[in-house]
Amino acid sequence: MNTPPSPSGAEHTGGSPIRLGALVPLTRPGWAEAGRHLLAGLDLAVREVNDAGGIDGRPLELVVRDTAADPERAAAAVDELADLGVAAVVGEYHSVVARAAAARADALGVPFLCSSAVLDALTEEPTEWVARLAPAQSHGWRIYADFLLGAGRRRIAVATQPSVYWTSGTRVLRDHLAPRGGTVVKLDASLTPEALCDALVDHGATALLLLVGHPEPAVPIVRAVRSDRRLAEILIGAPAGQPEFAEWAAALGEDGAGVPFLRYLPERLGPLGERVGKELRERLGEAPSFVAFEGWDTVAVLAAVLRSHGTDRAAVAASWPRVAVEGTRGPIRFSRTPGIGVWQWAWAPVHVVDRDPAEPDRLRVLHAG
C-alpha cells in the first residue's frame, strides 16, 4: 500500500515541503496495531511542527509506505523514497524489516532514524547514516531476565518461531541467566498448544516466554496454558510487548492479564509526555502505547536536526552525535554503544509491566531497568 503524503498542518506554512519518508507496518502480516500507533505519533509531531511554522517556513511532509513486515518491500520503499528526494527516512517497528531498511539507507546515503526496532545488529557494519531511538534488544531483554530472576523464575521455557529476532532474544536470555543459575529451553511454537503444555510440565518450567507472533500462535497458547491446571503456577511472559496493545486484551480478556512485557516509557511522564499522551489518546481513541511516543520523539529529533543543519542528507547524518532534544520520555542524545553499529540513544526508560489481573485495562510496573 502506498499512502499519500501527509498534509499535516502544511496549510500553516509556505515554501516547498521537506519530505520525510516513513516506514510503518499497516497491513498483515505486519503488526498493524503497532504500525497505527507509530504513525499516529509521527503524524501528530509533523502537524505540531507545521502548526508552529515548519522548518524555516517550509512544511514537513510525511511520505508513508506500508512495509507489511516484509524486508524486501521495505528496501524497495527506501529506494523509492530516496528517488522522491526525502531528507531522511524514519520509522519501522519490526526488527528484521528495519535491518533491511537500514542496509539500503546506508548503501544509498540516506539518513535513517529508526523509531522502534530493537535488534542489536541493525547493520552488519558500523554506519554514520543510521540512528536509533529504541533500546537495543540486549539491553532491554537483560532487564527482563533480571525481572525473572527477581521473581524466582529460573527454569525458563521459550515458545519460539524461526526468526533472527527471536533467536537473538533467546541468546540474550540464555547468556544472562546461565551464570545466575537460570536455564532456558526452546520449544517449537508449531507444537499444538496441548503438546506445548505437556512439554512445559515435562521440563518443570516455572516461566513460559512467548517469542511468537500475535494473534497466532500467541493467543491459543495463552488460552491453553491458562486452562491447564498442571500449569497454574507458571508465569507467562511476552518480552516483545504484545500485551501493550488493546487487541491483546480484546482477544484474551482476563487470560491476557498478568503477562509481563517490556515497555519503553517512564513510570510517570513529565509535562511534555503528558501533553503528547493526551493528544495521542484523542487521535487513537485508546491509551497510546510506547510505540506512539517513539513516533513523536522521532519527528522531534528530525525537526531539530533540520532546523540546525539543513536538509542536505550528509549534513543530517553528520548531526547524530550533536543531537540534544527533549523528548516525551526524557532528553535524547545519541552515542556509540559497544556492539551496536548505529548511533544509539542509550537509553530510553525501560520497565517490565503487565496488565493488572484485578483491572486488566490498568498497566502496573513490576520492575525498573
Side-chain angles (χ1 to χ4, degrees):
M1 182 178 90
N2 286 341
T3 306
S6 168
S8 301
E11 63 272 15
H12 297 281
T13 56
S16 60
I18 299 171
R19 289 181 158 186
L20 296 180
L23 304 177
V24 283
L26 295 174
T27 53
R28 299 284 185 191
W31 197 343
E33 190 174 13
R36 186 170 66 89
H37 279 238
L38 179 55
L39 183 56
L42 294 167
D43 195 63
L44 173 63
V46 166
R47 179 171 290 278
E48 292 183 355
V49 168
N50 289 341
D51 285 347
I55 307 297
D56 296 328
R58 298 173 63 189
L60 281 183
E61 183 177 87
L62 277 186
V63 185
V64 181
R65 293 295 178 264
D66 173 21
T67 64
D70 183 337
E72 292 183 5
R73 187 165 169 170
V78 174
D79 280 342
E80 180 196 0
L81 293 166
D83 289 343
L84 289 173
V86 299
V89 174
V90 301
E92 196 42 48
Y93 177 80
H94 296 284
S95 281
V96 292
V97 180
R99 187 173 64 163
R104 197 68 195 130
D106 180 48
L108 294 174
V110 177
F112 175 39
L113 178 51
C114 180
S115 304
S116 197
V118 300
L119 193 68
D120 281 41
L122 200 58
T123 56
E124 293 295 329
E125 300 292 336
T127 176
E128 301 297 321
W129 292 98
V130 182
R132 173 167 57 189
L133 287 173
Q137 187 178 26
S138 60
H139 177 72
W141 287 45
R142 281 195 293 262
I143 290 169
Y144 196 93
D146 286 336
F147 157 73
L148 292 172
L149 293 170
R153 311 286 176 159
R154 282 175 165 74
R155 296 179 65 84
I156 313 303
V158 296
T160 184
Q161 294 173 301
S163 162
V164 172
Y165 175 61
W166 299 128
T167 299
S168 172
T170 302
R171 186 184 311 114
V172 171
L173 293 168
R174 183 173 283 136
D175 289 350
H176 194 74
L177 289 168
R180 296 164 177 81
T183 60
V184 176
V185 60
K186 287 177 64 174
L187 301 178
D188 189 340
S190 66
L191 291 170
T192 66
E194 294 74 19
L196 191 66
C197 288
D198 291 342
L200 292 171
V201 173
D202 291 344
H203 288 290
T206 57
L208 167 65
L209 304 187
L210 302 171
L211 309 192
V212 296
H214 172 74
E216 298 289 338
V219 168
I221 290 173
V222 172
R223 286 185 179 140
V225 173
R226 291 291 198 220
S227 64
D228 193 320
R229 293 183 179 181
R230 301 172 298 171
L231 300 171
E233 300 302 316
I234 200 167
L235 172 78
I236 304 175
Q242 295 95 323
E244 168 85 6
F245 295 95
E247 67 179 5
W248 172 275
L252 283 163
E254 293 181 358
D255 283 348
V259 179
F261 61 94
L262 285 167
R263 190 180 196 222
Y264 308 134
L265 281 176
E267 189 165 1
R268 288 181 178 81
L269 291 165
L272 175 60
E274 288 282 359
R275 179 187 69 74
V276 171
K278 181 180 178 182
E279 294 281 348
L280 288 169
R281 178 182 285 271
E282 290 178 3
R283 281 182 162 238
L284 291 163
E286 61 190 21
S289 69
F290 68 84
V291 180
F293 289 92
E294 287 175 326
W296 194 95
D297 287 343
T298 298
V299 173
V301 168
L302 257 298
V305 166
L306 293 167
R307 288 190 186 103
S308 58
H309 297 278
T311 60
D312 177 76
R313 290 172 178 171
V316 170
S319 74
W320 300 136
R322 293 189 286 277
V323 164
V325 172
E326 187 62 31
T328 57
R329 299 164 296 150
I332 298 170
R333 295 177 181 273
F334 296 115
S335 60
R336 287 299 194 186
T337 304
I340 296 169
V342 304
W343 288 98
Q344 175 72 52
W345 179 21
W347 303 99
V350 179
H351 285 97
V352 179
V353 307
D354 71 356
R355 291 184 175 274
D356 187 344
E359 192 181 342
D361 286 339
R362 187 178 80 88
L363 297 177
R364 58 182 185 176
V365 175
L366 306 176
H367 180 79

